[in-house]
Amino acid sequence: QVQLVESGGGLVQPGRSLRLSCAASGFTFSSHAIHWVRQAPGKGLEWVAVISYDGSDKYYADSVKGRFTISRDNSKNTLYLRMNSLRVEDTAVYYCARDWNYNGLDYWGQGTLVTVSS
Amino acid sequence: DIQMTQSPSSLSASVGDRVTITCRASQSISSYLNWYQQKPGKAPKLLIYGALSLQSGVPSRFSGSGSGTDFTLTISSLQPEDFATYYCQQSYSTLRTFGQGTKLEIK
């Protein structure tokens, strides 16, 4: 069965960096674009970034552009999100989700919590 | 970026009621509109894709309609497990923006 498992979240001070991982299994990882979506406590869903199936194309929300970098290692079936210059407002649960072409995000991980606080 | 606006932001209803949630895009997105259900502490779940296609396993009381800029999600007869937050999302643009969500509560 399709599984996406995020890891790497935790408490970090403003201005510091963190790298999230998303381990995929149960499908051909290298055939799908993958997204990061976040949700601040008590708030709605915010799309963060997407990477194409082969890693050649990457797109970001304006709120993270220039600070976050999405990447993938298809040999390890793993997606990453490098987050630099973290801000308090980046505090959220971060989900990875599989892209189903133009049909939405059909599988999601359980999420990993990132807390940015001094 | 394409902005997605949902209404209402919250809704109180009773078991058995028919409810409708609307979603408006800031520009035409054809039929590239998806709906998700999220329950507290859980990841979102894809309900409807392509504006009107039901994801596998989703009960038939859920339906979607619309095209262009205006879309609706309808639940024909609310069940206790349907009380949750619902989000629309466009997949017309690579930057896959979400609506702000509609919280469906028990009256």
Side-chain angles (χ1 to χ4, degrees):
Chain A
Q1 71 283 19
V2 173
Q3 274 200 307
L4 296 166
V5 179
E6 302 93 338
S7 61
L11 175 63
V12 61
Q13 292 179 327
R16 304 299 291 266
S17 299
L18 202 63
R19 189 182 80 161
L20 305 183
S21 300
C22 169
S25 59
F27 67 102
T28 305
F29 181 71
S30 58
S31 295
H32 289 267
I34 308 289
H35 300 253
W36 286 102
V37 176
R38 69 184 181 183
Q39 187 169 37
K43 302 297 184 182
L45 301 173
E46 180 187 13
W47 178 84
V48 173
V50 62
I51 187 167
S52 60
Y53 69 99
D54 62 355
S56 61
D57 294 311
K58 306 171 186 181
Y59 298 90
Y60 301 91
D62 288 344
S63 57
V64 307
K65 196 177 299 181
R67 299 188 299 122
F68 289 12
T69 302
I70 190 172
S71 61
R72 65 192 297 161
D73 185 338
N74 285 346
S75 69
K76 296 182 178 179
N77 288 351
T78 303
L79 172 77
Y80 303 100
L81 186 68
R82 176 70 177 181
M83 304 184 294
N84 295 333
S85 303
L86 280 162
R87 305 167 180 169
V88 171
E89 55 265 34
D90 295 319
T91 294
V93 173
Y94 285 74
Y95 297 99
C96 59
R98 190 180 83 165
D99 186 275
W100 186 25
N101 297 324
Y102 293 95
N103 296 323
L105 308 181
D106 60 347
Y107 288 93
W108 296 63
Q110 84 289 350
T112 188
L113 176 62
V114 173
T115 303
V116 184
S117 175
S118 54
Chain B
D1 298 1
I2 299 173
Q3 309 302 318
M4 307 301 294
T5 304
Q6 285 181 237
S7 62
S9 296
S10 63
L11 176 59
S12 293
S14 301
V15 172
D17 283 354
R18 177 185 179 90
V19 299
T20 298
I21 299 169
T22 64
C23 179
R24 175 165 288 178
S26 60
Q27 67 179 73
S28 177
I29 57 171
S30 185
S31 295
Y32 295 107
L33 191 283
N34 313 300
W35 290 97
Y36 300 84
Q37 177 193 66
Q38 187 181 33
K39 296 182 178 179
K42 300 293 187 181
K45 171 188 172 183
L46 179 64
L47 292 179
I48 290 173
Y49 62 92
L52 51 78
S53 297
L54 217 57
Q55 175 68 326
S56 176
V58 174
S60 59
R61 62 181 179 273
F62 290 91
S63 63
S65 65
S67 66
T69 60
D70 294 313
F71 302 87
T72 60
L73 170 69
T74 299
I75 310 172
S76 60
S77 179
L78 274 174
Q79 298 302 300
E81 60 268 29
D82 300 337
F83 292 94
T85 301
Y86 293 85
Y87 296 91
C88 63
Q89 183 213 27
Q90 60 81 19
S91 48
Y92 180 86
S93 163
T94 306
L95 281 63
R96 304 283 178 89
T97 43
F98 289 89
Q100 80 278 18
T102 296
K103 187 173 184 179
L104 181 53
E105 299 175 304
I106 301 174
K107 184 184 287 185

